[in-house]
Amino acid sequence: MQIVKQFFINIERTDIDEKMTNLVSGDLIDSIDIIALVAEIEKYYKKPLKAEFITPENFESFESIKKMLELAMKD
C-alpha cells in the first residue's frame, strides 16, 4: 500500500489516504488525478498501463488500485 500512497504524494494529493473509499464516485479524485496517477504508475513500473485497466472502478480505493496493479503488472 505504501507505493500507492507514494503515487498520491507524487501527484500532490497528500489529502488522500488509505482509509478513504469511493475516491472517484465520491468526487475525491477526478479524471485529471487518474491520468496523473497512471503517469506515475507507468513511470514507476517502466511500462504502459493497458487501457483496459484505466477504469473508475479501479481507482475507487487504495485496495482497488493495489489489486489492479497486481493484475496489470504481473507480466
Side-chain angles (χ1 to χ4, degrees), residues 13-57:
R13 288 303 308 268
T14 55
D15 57 318
I16 306 293
D17 68 46
E18 57 275 355
K19 296 178 200 102
M20 300 170 108
T21 58
N22 303 319
L23 297 178
V24 178
S25 60
D27 291 329
L28 297 170
I29 65 172
D30 60 18
S31 59
I32 303 299
D33 293 319
I34 291 173
I35 296 303
L37 286 169
V38 169
E40 287 298 319
I41 289 165
E42 291 177 342
K43 187 166 71 173
Y44 179 82
Y45 286 100
K46 296 179 175 45
K47 67 187 246 184
L49 182 62
K50 292 180 182 172
E52 65 195 72
F53 293 105
I54 306 171
T55 65
E57 298 79 23

Side-chain angles (χ1 to χ4, degrees), residues 59-72:
F59 290 88
E60 281 289 356
S61 67
F62 276 47
E63 188 62 35
S64 63
I65 295 169
K66 181 177 169 270
K67 285 179 183 174
M68 178 264 298
L69 290 174
E70 288 169 358
L71 285 173

